[in-house]
Amino acid sequence: MTGPAPVVARLRTAVRDALADLPDGALVLVACSGGADSLALAAATAFVAPRAGLRAGAVVVDHGLQRGSAAVADRAAQACRRLGLAPVEVHPVDVEQRGRGPEAAAREVRYAALETAARAHGAAAVLLGHTLDDQAETVLLGLARGAGPRALAGMAPVRGLLRRPLLGVRRDETLAACAAQGLEPWHDPTNADGPLAPLRSRLRHRVLPVLEDVLGPVAPALARTAEQLRDEDALLDSLAHELLTLARVSEPSVPDGGADAVVLDVQALAGAPAALRRRALHRAVLDAGARPGALLRTHVLAVEALVVAWHGQGPVALPGGGEARRTCGRLTLRGSPAARGERAERPRTHEET
């Protein structure tokens, strides 16, 4: 009796390792689009979960952005059911861009749908099919945009309910795993190259092959960079949290602060190292209601100037209609009422980097 193909065994091992800490009887949900990565993940999870004493289901999010998307979602759901996953649900969503690109908007509603499904079923984890190649693309995009260490740390293997078992697996391995198991993945037309293709698709088909040809195996190197930066990023996050706890004023002394304002002691912030202070201010502005994708380094530096380069200047406008203001040795950060309401309604299980 022969065992599974080596690539199938590799994916199963990756999933087994990712689920090792879950208690017996816990439910895990696979986010499955029907593409090779998520379908290979669904197959590996369907094999591993019952042998590990776990239950496994799937969630298919239909973004409705392409003609025939409902049929694609139904096909993915049927494939998951044939693998033995249960429950399997299709979640149609409405993607409203509201000033964001279509990819960012789709990502936000997708994670919200996954959060809703996990909460409804009491799932202990939601598994995502991001691969090493996705990680490399994320890091390269961050480098091109001049992003800081948070973005260059890429996607975390575990963040809240979300788990990414395949971050050490190449995209061609998921295709091979599907072929070895007789699975027919859906090939998203937006992943193909072309003048109107999304930026990530153009990077995948045009830029990375050139880098690989000139520099060798770039994708694994970029993924290693993300892994190394992630530990440092976690340490900085912990230190920034301590700084914010020290600087936060529990009773706002600024008349227009408002109940939802974040009020910080300027002196406590001024004495911190610049990198730590900026990270703390970045977190504080998000806590005040700014949308992560709209908050730029220029905003953080302008807020920091109220702390370290104060000469009586007026308030700093924050993305989304909020403001930062210094008064009487206090830094007050306020989001707009609309931003605060949106923040209250928006799940924060996805990665806000």
Side-chain angles (χ1 to χ4, degrees):
M1 181 177 179
T2 60
V7 69
V8 173
R10 175 164 159 72
L11 265 66
R12 291 174 178 176
T13 298
V15 171
R16 185 180 300 111
D17 291 345
L19 303 182
D21 64 321
L22 295 181
D24 288 346
L27 173 68
V28 297
L29 295 175
V30 179
C32 186
S33 67
D37 300 339
S38 62
L39 191 58
L41 175 61
T45 305
F47 180 87
V48 168
R51 291 163 175 80
L54 304 172
R55 296 174 294 132
V59 181
V60 181
V61 179
D62 175 13
H63 299 87
L65 294 176
Q66 300 177 30
R67 179 175 296 179
S69 66
V72 171
D74 182 65
R75 176 185 170 187
Q78 291 181 30
C80 289
R81 293 187 184 104
R82 286 194 296 270
L83 289 169
L85 298 176
V88 176
E89 294 183 351
V90 175
H91 281 246
V93 295
D94 293 321
V95 179
E96 297 179 12
Q97 294 188 33
R98 291 182 291 185
R100 293 162 289 160
E103 293 177 82
R107 181 170 57 249
E108 181 162 317
V109 296
R110 177 168 63 253
Y111 284 125
L114 295 174
E115 164 74 12
T116 298
R119 189 169 55 245
H121 292 284
V126 176
L127 308 186
L128 306 177
H130 296 118
T131 65
L132 182 149
D133 297 86
D134 294 310
Q135 185 77 295
E137 292 161 9
T138 298
V139 175
L140 191 55
L141 285 170
L143 285 169
R145 293 164 175 163
R150 179 185 298 276
L152 299 183
M155 297 175 286
V158 179
R159 185 180 291 273
L161 285 174
L162 304 180
R163 302 190 179 204
R164 298 179 171 91
L166 305 186
L167 285 181
V169 174
R170 298 301 301 263
R171 185 174 292 130
D172 58 2
E173 291 181 285
T174 65
L175 284 165
C178 286
Q181 297 171 95
L183 303 174
E184 296 184 10
W186 170 64
H187 297 284
D188 186 348
T190 64
N191 287 334
D193 192 13
L196 300 180
L199 177 59
R200 186 178 285 266
S201 296
R202 285 177 280 151
L203 177 73
R204 179 178 306 164
H205 292 284
R206 304 181 201 178
V207 178
L208 271 171
V210 172
L211 291 177
E212 296 266 349
D213 181 58
V214 175
L215 300 176
V218 168
L222 290 170
R224 285 196 302 273
T225 295
E227 185 176 1
Q228 293 166 14
L229 284 174
R230 198 173 304 117
D231 291 338
E232 298 174 14
D233 184 66
L235 175 60
L236 282 174
D237 265 348
S238 176
L239 294 174
H241 175 74
E242 292 179 8
L243 176 59
L244 280 180
T245 300
L246 176 66
R248 194 178 294 268
V249 178
S250 57
E251 294 295 333
S253 58
V254 182
D256 63 348
D260 294 325
V262 175
V263 184
L264 303 171
D265 180 74
V266 168
Q267 186 175 0
L269 293 169
L276 187 58
R277 178 174 56 244
R278 290 166 188 165
R279 180 168 290 239
L281 288 173
H282 183 278
R283 181 71 262 168
V285 174
L286 292 178
D287 288 345
R291 179 179 291 279
L295 180 59
L296 305 177
R297 177 177 170 82
T298 53
H299 297 120
V300 176
L301 293 178
V303 174
E304 184 189 35
L306 296 177
V307 176
V308 298
W310 170 249
H311 50 78
Q313 64 263 44
V316 170
L318 299 177
E323 68 170 25
R325 180 189 297 270
R326 173 170 171 164
T327 310
C328 302
R330 298 288 186 265
L331 179 66
T332 303
L333 308 171
R334 293 185 302 160
S336 68
R340 290 195 297 270
E342 183 177 298
R343 178 185 57 175
E345 296 174 0
R346 175 171 56 91
R348 289 184 57 187
T349 59
H350 59 288
E351 300 200 62
E352 299 184 335
T353 58

